[in-house]
Every structure is written in C-alpha cells, then in structure tokens.
Amino acid sequence: MRSKLIIYLSVFSALILAAMWLLNIVFLDDIYSSIKNRQILSAADKITEHAASEDLETAVYDIADKGQLCVSVFEIDKGRGKMIASAHVHSMCRIHGGAGHEEYMGRLYGETMVEGDIYDVKEGESESLPDSVVFARRRSIDKLEYLIVINAEVQPVTATVTTLTYLFVWMTVLVAALSVIMAYIISRSITKPVVKMNREARKLAVGNYDVSFSGGGYREASELAGTLDYAA
C-alpha cells in the first residue's frame, strides 16, 4: 500500500508540475501575446465607441495611459486624413512622427480597406528590446470615416522563462520529496491500525480470547475494531 501511495502522489504531482510547466514556460510567450492582442482589441473597441463623440480626446488619453499604448485617430475626408485625437505614451512609438510617417499611415489605411483590421509586427532589434505591434482599424460612423491606429510594446519574456525554468527545477525536487514524505505519513496512518488488528486477529484464531482490537487512525478502522471486539 505504501509503495502505491508513493506512486499515486508522485504521478499526481508530476501532472500538476507538467501543467504548470506548459502554461508558465512553454506557452508563456503565446499566452502573453494573446493577452496583449486582446488588450489592443479592447482599446480599439472603446475608441471606436467614442470616435464621433466630443470626449474623444479624453477617452483616447485615458485608454492609452491605462494600457501603455500610443494612439492616433484620424478623420478621413476624400482619402486624406486629419488627426483628431492622439496620445503618445512610450518612447519607441512607431505612429507619431519620424521619417516616412505619413507614408506609413497611408499604407495602413490602404491595407485596412482591403483586409479590415490589421496587425503590423516589428520584432525588437535584440532579445532585450520589445517587439512593436501596430494595429489599424477603419470604421464609418455617422457618414464619417475614421482610421484608428494603436501601437503597443510587447516585452520579451526570454529572461522570465529562464528564471521560471530555474525555479521549476527546484520546485520539482521539492515536490518529489514532499510527495514521498506525505505518502509515508498517510500510508503509516492507514496501515498501522490494520497491522495491529491483524496481529490480534491471529491470536484470536489460535484460541486466545484475551485480545483487544483498537482502531485509531481513521473512522473505518475504529468501526472495524469495535466490531471485532464485540465478536471476540
């Protein structure tokens, strides 16, 4: 029984550790990117709701500040864009100023006309620098056309993964040791009263009625001991 408990607890612990390993290390980058994309989409939805309202500037600033995003909103008239709201948050922004800025905005607008919502991802120049994601959306609201452009930094998770890997190695060793200790304690609490009752039952089997069955440990063992005492 003791060896089975050790195996069961070890398997259970291994499954928990495997699930944590997959979620926190193997798929961490994908999960983080998915969360960041949902954040960008949520921000775009909120800005779209305010696009034709008088509080657009305030809404854009609040959304950008909360999500650490750079945002530009353009009103399109006859193919030409006029910026009507803007928020500049992070230093590596790709949508505010810089060489080729107008051409880049024009390209984004053209792509949204063909593909709808688009993502333009630029990888960081090194592992320590963040990737940059530009999201563009074109919407027609109250007969007016708007282009919403959002830029977000996607921080690299390489250092985080390295740290988590180191911690998980030690966690695995600790959990394995605790599994063995817990299995020993649990099996001892279960088997000890059973072994004692078995010893008394052997005495009873050879005609020695001066026996005492005591369960302890857990309720079922105590009930069995009481039944054997009554029978003896």
Side-chain angles (χ1 to χ4, degrees):
M1 179 181 289
R2 187 169 298 169
S3 61
K4 286 185 177 180
L5 277 173
I6 292 175
I7 292 173
Y8 292 154
L9 280 175
S10 297
V11 170
F12 176 76
S13 300
L15 291 173
I16 296 297
L17 286 171
M20 293 176 65
W21 182 279
L22 289 172
L23 292 174
N24 290 283
I25 295 180
V26 178
F27 298 123
L28 179 62
D29 193 30
D30 293 334
I31 292 172
Y32 174 65
S33 296
S34 176
I35 292 172
K36 199 66 180 181
N37 287 339
R38 284 201 299 269
Q39 179 192 21
I40 294 171
L41 279 175
S42 175
D45 290 340
K46 291 176 181 177
I47 294 171
T48 302
E49 292 175 2
H50 291 84
S53 66
E54 295 180 357
D55 65 343
L56 176 62
E57 283 269 14
T58 302
V60 164
Y61 180 81
D62 289 343
I63 293 167
D65 184 59
K66 183 178 179 181
Q68 289 300 292
L69 308 168
C70 283
V71 180
S72 291
V73 182
F74 298 89
E75 184 179 299
I76 310 299
D77 183 22
K78 297 179 181 179
R80 298 187 62 85
K82 174 187 175 183
M83 185 181 292
I84 58 174
S86 177
H88 181 62
V89 175
H90 55 81
S91 59
M92 300 180 67
C93 179
R94 294 167 56 199
I95 64 174
H96 290 115
H101 172 259
E102 291 186 4
E103 290 80 0
Y104 183 51
M105 293 297 106
R107 179 168 69 83
L108 291 175
Y109 174 68
E111 290 179 4
T112 58
M113 292 185 69
V114 177
E115 302 178 23
D117 293 353
I118 63 166
Y119 288 91
D120 180 32
V121 181
K122 180 182 179 182
E123 294 185 357
E125 296 179 0
S126 69
E127 289 188 355
S128 61
L129 292 175
D131 294 344
S132 179
V133 178
V134 172
F135 172 86
R137 167 182 289 177
R138 185 179 62 88
R139 286 290 186 272
S140 294
I141 305 171
D142 297 334
K143 298 181 180 181
L144 293 175
E145 191 176 18
Y146 298 91
L147 177 67
I148 299 167
V149 184
I150 299 173
N151 182 207
E153 290 184 349
V154 181
Q155 297 294 333
V157 296
T158 305
T160 304
V161 169
T162 302
T163 303
L164 286 174
T165 301
Y166 178 79
L167 291 175
F168 262 83
V169 170
W170 285 105
M171 188 182 296
T172 300
V173 173
L174 178 62
V175 170
L178 288 175
S179 296
V180 173
I181 294 172
M182 288 299 297
Y184 176 80
I185 294 173
I186 294 172
S187 64
R188 183 174 175 80
S189 67
I190 294 174
T191 59
K192 186 176 180 180
V194 175
V195 170
K196 187 175 181 180
M197 284 188 287
N198 182 55
R199 185 168 58 247
E200 295 298 304
R202 288 178 182 274
K203 294 179 183 178
L204 182 63
V206 296
N208 182 0
Y209 293 96
D210 186 19
V211 293
S212 175
F213 295 96
S214 59
Y218 53 100
R219 182 173 59 84
E220 289 79 1
S222 297
E223 291 179 353
L224 177 59
T227 301
L228 292 173
D229 264 335
Y230 179 77

